[in-house]
Amino acid sequence: MITLVGVIASGTLLPYALYRIATGNYLVGVVDLLMIAVSTFSVLMAWRTGDTEKPGFLMAAVFCFGAVLVCMKLGQDVLFWIYPLMVFIFFLVAPIKALLLLLLMVSAIVSLHFSEQSAIFANSFQLLAFITTTLITSIFAYIFAYRTHLQRQELRRLATTDPLTGAATRHSLTDELTYAIQQHQHKGVVSGLMLLDLDHFKRINDNFGHQVGDQILSQLVPLLKQMIRQQDSVFRYGGEEFVLLIKEIQLADLHRLAEKIRHAVWHQLALPDGSALTTSIGIATVQHANDWESWLQNADIALYQAKHQGRNQVVIAAQPAEQATTQS
């Protein structure tokens, strides 16, 4: 969004900047060129860093400041440009920040009118009309932007949260794993991965029905979240399989945590007939993964071994050298 807005802003301002410089209105022309330069810089910054919040705020603040300077120089001739600018600001920053910036901008323009340096409005009626219409425009734009922000948050939640269990979805897993790998490569931060699978879950659905199976899954995720930190995450990988991303943890601590989770599932979750529910867990740390696929595959191989060896146990993913020895 910031890229599109920056391109539109630069394309709109450039002809005016060149015209004003050509006609000797150097101050306004320089201000227009400054806003174009800031737009270009903000777009490049957002594109390189992936962060749109700071570049967007920089662009919005500079445009508001530039609007005040242009009004001081040109007066009534540019007042009508304030209204599209107000809408434009709401595309760049969060609704509350946009509203505060616009209130500051309008206050500055009104204050300039009463100063000795500039008389922007022809009479008091025009001043009152400007204050009223800008406030109304700001409020309605804020309401629209805020509602859009809430809808965007809800859509993001629906896209990244499993409706049955409340765990994060597989869609958001890849981004989190990729970021964890980047943190290890750049800063040496070690994170761990658990791939957890409920044992004999198909039998549960066959013997007790899918409703009971869904109840078990909905009870499992709160239990898992109780045992991990707020910075860690639980993802539903598929069916009865769940992935736990544990940040900043060594292998020995990851193994102890996995054992605690296995015991908690065994002793705190039960089937309608009173029989215990068990789980198998494969764990792997980030050190031996080149990408998120290989990291997840290491945990998956360990989970398969846990299932093959009798279930209800935790297996640590083999080191690359150990895997080569086993295959030979």
Side-chain angles (χ1 to χ4, degrees):
M1 176 62 73
I2 189 174
T3 302
L4 177 61
V5 171
V7 171
I8 293 175
S10 299
T12 303
L13 287 173
L14 184 57
Y16 285 95
L18 297 177
Y19 171 77
R20 283 161 180 165
I21 291 176
T23 55
N25 199 342
Y26 298 112
L27 175 61
V28 178
V30 169
V31 171
D32 288 341
L33 289 176
L34 174 63
M35 290 190 284
I36 293 172
V38 170
S39 298
T40 305
F41 172 77
S42 299
V43 169
L44 292 175
M45 183 178 173
W47 181 73
R48 291 187 62 182
T49 64
D51 178 18
T52 59
E53 183 176 353
K54 294 184 182 66
F57 184 80
L58 173 64
M59 193 188 303
V62 170
F63 269 70
C64 288
F65 178 73
V68 173
L69 291 180
V70 173
C71 283
M72 181 178 66
K73 182 66 177 177
L74 299 181
Q76 300 178 47
D77 293 341
V78 295
L79 286 181
F80 288 109
W81 284 100
I82 296 297
Y83 299 96
L85 174 63
M86 298 176 81
V87 178
F88 172 77
I89 297 301
F90 279 99
F91 281 96
L92 294 175
V93 294
I96 187 63
K97 292 181 180 179
L99 182 62
L100 292 175
L101 280 174
L102 293 177
L103 291 177
L104 288 173
M105 181 186 69
V106 171
S107 300
I109 293 173
V110 173
S111 299
L112 281 174
H113 174 73
F114 291 105
S115 69
E116 297 179 357
Q117 299 177 358
S118 175
I120 298 175
F121 304 97
N123 50 56
S124 299
F125 177 79
Q126 191 180 71
L127 171 63
L128 180 61
F130 175 78
I131 295 173
T132 303
T133 54
T134 52
L135 286 177
I136 292 174
T137 303
S138 298
I139 291 172
F140 277 108
Y142 171 79
I143 293 172
F144 176 79
Y146 183 69
R147 287 173 61 89
T148 303
H149 176 70
L150 292 180
Q151 291 172 350
R152 191 183 302 116
Q153 284 186 324
E154 180 63 14
L155 289 173
R156 186 181 296 113
R157 186 191 68 81
L158 292 174
T160 59
T161 305
D162 178 55
L164 174 63
T165 64
T169 60
R170 187 170 180 171
H171 175 75
S172 58
L173 173 63
T174 56
D175 292 336
E176 291 288 335
L177 295 186
T178 301
Y179 180 74
I181 290 175
Q182 292 173 349
Q183 287 292 97
H184 174 65
Q185 292 173 343
H186 299 155
K187 299 181 180 180
V189 177
V190 177
S191 297
L193 200 62
M194 297 186 199
L195 188 54
L196 178 151
D197 185 84
L198 294 176
D199 296 328
H200 303 297
F201 192 76
K202 186 177 183 303
R203 295 182 188 177
I204 297 174
N205 286 329
D206 292 341
N207 295 336
F208 300 100
H210 288 277
Q211 184 176 1
V212 172
D214 290 345
Q215 290 175 353
I216 294 293
L217 295 178
S218 62
Q219 293 170 5
L220 173 64
V221 172
L223 177 63
L224 296 176
K225 289 183 177 181
Q226 289 175 5
M227 304 194 67
I228 61 178
R229 301 161 298 180
Q230 188 173 4
Q231 68 190 54
D232 304 324
S233 305
V234 181
F235 305 86
R236 188 176 183 186
Y237 189 60
E240 70 278 12
E241 284 189 336
F242 292 85
V243 173
L244 283 76
L245 176 60
I246 312 299
K247 300 177 180 178
E248 300 184 29
I249 191 169
Q250 298 299 321
L251 181 59
D253 295 326
L254 181 66
H255 184 241
R256 281 192 288 269
L257 177 60
E259 284 289 355
K260 289 181 181 179
I261 290 175
R262 183 182 67 84
H263 278 279
V265 172
W266 192 6
H267 296 291
Q268 296 185 36
L269 296 182
L271 298 174
D273 62 359
S275 57
L277 190 71
T278 63
T279 183
S280 301
I281 305 175
I283 64 174
T285 52
V286 71
Q287 292 104 316
H288 309 293
N290 297 322
D291 48 39
W292 69 267
E293 291 98 338
S294 59
W295 190 11
L296 195 59
Q297 184 182 25
N298 291 340
D300 189 44
I301 293 173
L303 174 61
Y304 175 79
Q305 292 174 348
K307 292 282 189 181
H308 184 70
Q309 294 171 8
R311 295 182 172 86
N312 191 24
Q313 57 185 280
V314 177
V315 171
I316 302 173
Q319 307 293 333
E322 295 175 359
Q323 293 177 356
T325 303
T326 303
Q327 291 174 359
S328 61

